Amino acid sequence: MDNYVTIVLRTLLFYSLILFIFRMMGKREIGELSILDLVVFIMIGEMAVVAIERPNTPLFHTIIPMLLLMLVQILLAIISLKSKKFRNLIDGQPSIIINRGKIDEKAMRKQRYNFDDLMTQLREKDIRSIADVEFAILESSGSLSVIEKLKNDNAESEQGDITIPLILDGNIDDENLKRINKTNLWLRQELKKQGYRDVKKISFCSFENGKFFIDLKDE
């Protein structure tokens, strides 16, 4: 009987502890979890299950590793907020699979993403044909973001562009500049014309339909 009481109490304890840990690690939807998030969540869950199944094991043998994983995950999240390179290393970067209606096979091969994957995810979004897609972006979470073509006679003239970040956290993204056929020098010159001389002070910058969107870092 004592074992059953211990199991019930341990279940309630670890349920509360896991809720606390996940709350401390921040709110993220399941589809937005990175590989690192998923690994940490699985490890924490497995530790809790083992501790509940083995009531004779000291609690601190499980609680300490769980709290350690929480601290490591919070530390990595803080580092990723301050370093885009580290964020790209951990989470990866979005890839444009369909660009202005044209499939980028090179990007698909790089992501080991095949046409069956593409068609499956398009069908999940109620899109029957690739011909209806203007842009398709494979997010770092593995989900597919889709922008459909406009279905009117003036679609070609009115079709907007996709927002591609050129500066994130004060760092110029040369890869995205290449996607819009622009250079690092061009971007710096254009920013100077608008009074922005220090790129490091810019939190976010994108260029769409001939216009810049610029957001400065909080002072």
Side-chain angles (χ1 to χ4, degrees):
M1 184 66 180
D2 289 342
N3 270 353
Y4 288 114
V5 173
T6 302
I7 290 173
V8 170
L9 292 177
R10 284 190 171 220
T11 301
L12 294 175
L13 171 64
F14 283 110
Y15 175 76
S16 302
L17 181 59
I18 289 174
L19 285 180
F20 168 75
I21 290 174
F22 287 1
R23 186 75 177 90
M24 292 297 296
M25 287 168 58
K27 297 179 180 179
R28 300 188 77 175
E29 294 181 12
I30 296 298
E32 294 178 349
L33 295 180
S34 67
I35 295 175
L36 190 60
D37 292 327
L38 192 58
V39 169
V40 170
F41 288 177
I42 291 173
M43 288 180 67
I44 288 175
E46 285 293 325
M47 288 179 186
V49 169
V50 171
I52 292 170
E53 290 178 343
R54 299 177 182 175
N56 295 325
T57 304
L59 283 173
F60 283 103
H61 286 188
T62 303
I63 292 176
I64 290 175
M66 289 173 69
L67 293 177
L68 179 60
L69 281 174
M70 178 192 75
L71 292 175
V72 169
Q73 188 72 352
I74 291 173
L75 178 62
L76 292 178
I78 293 172
I79 295 173
S80 69
L81 284 174
K82 298 186 177 294
S83 172
K84 185 176 184 297
K85 289 183 179 179
F86 182 80
R87 187 163 63 243
N88 290 342
L89 178 65
I90 297 298
D91 295 334
Q93 288 182 293
S95 296
I96 300 178
I97 302 299
I98 299 178
N99 190 353
R100 298 183 186 278
K102 178 172 173 49
I103 298 172
D104 190 335
E105 290 87 358
K106 184 178 178 180
M108 291 180 67
R109 286 193 296 270
K110 184 178 179 180
Q111 297 299 326
R112 294 181 290 279
Y113 186 80
N114 57 52
F115 280 96
D116 288 335
D117 297 327
L118 177 60
M119 295 306 299
T120 297
Q121 291 192 287
L122 288 177
R123 286 194 296 271
E124 288 174 352
K125 296 181 179 297
D126 296 325
I127 297 174
R128 298 181 180 180
S129 172
I130 293 178
D132 297 331
V133 178
E134 184 71 10
F135 293 99
I137 305 162
L138 185 64
E139 306 292 356
S140 55
S141 63
S143 63
L144 190 71
S145 299
V146 178
I147 299 174
E148 295 185 70
K149 293 179 179 178
L150 295 181
K151 302 184 185 303
N152 57 47
D153 295 336
N154 298 320
E156 184 175 351
S157 61
E158 294 180 9
Q159 177 63 47
D161 205 345
I162 186 172
T163 299
I164 297 179
L166 302 182
I167 298 177
L168 288 172
D169 298 326
N171 297 306
I172 295 176
D173 193 321
D174 291 309
E175 197 66 32
N176 283 343
L177 278 170
K178 290 179 183 177
R179 289 177 178 174
I180 61 172
N181 298 317
K182 302 294 183 182
T183 65
N184 190 301
L185 178 61
W186 169 85
L187 177 60
R188 291 179 182 275
Q189 289 176 339
E190 291 298 317
L191 291 175
K192 283 182 181 179
K193 290 178 184 178
Q194 300 196 32
Y196 301 100
R197 297 184 175 276
D198 189 354
V199 172
K200 294 295 182 183
K201 292 183 178 180
I202 298 176
S203 174
F204 179 87
C205 170
S206 64
F207 184 70
E208 182 179 349
N209 295 329
K211 295 181 180 180
F212 283 98
F213 174 82
I214 299 171
D215 182 72
L216 296 177
K217 291 183 179 180
D218 296 331
E219 299 295 338

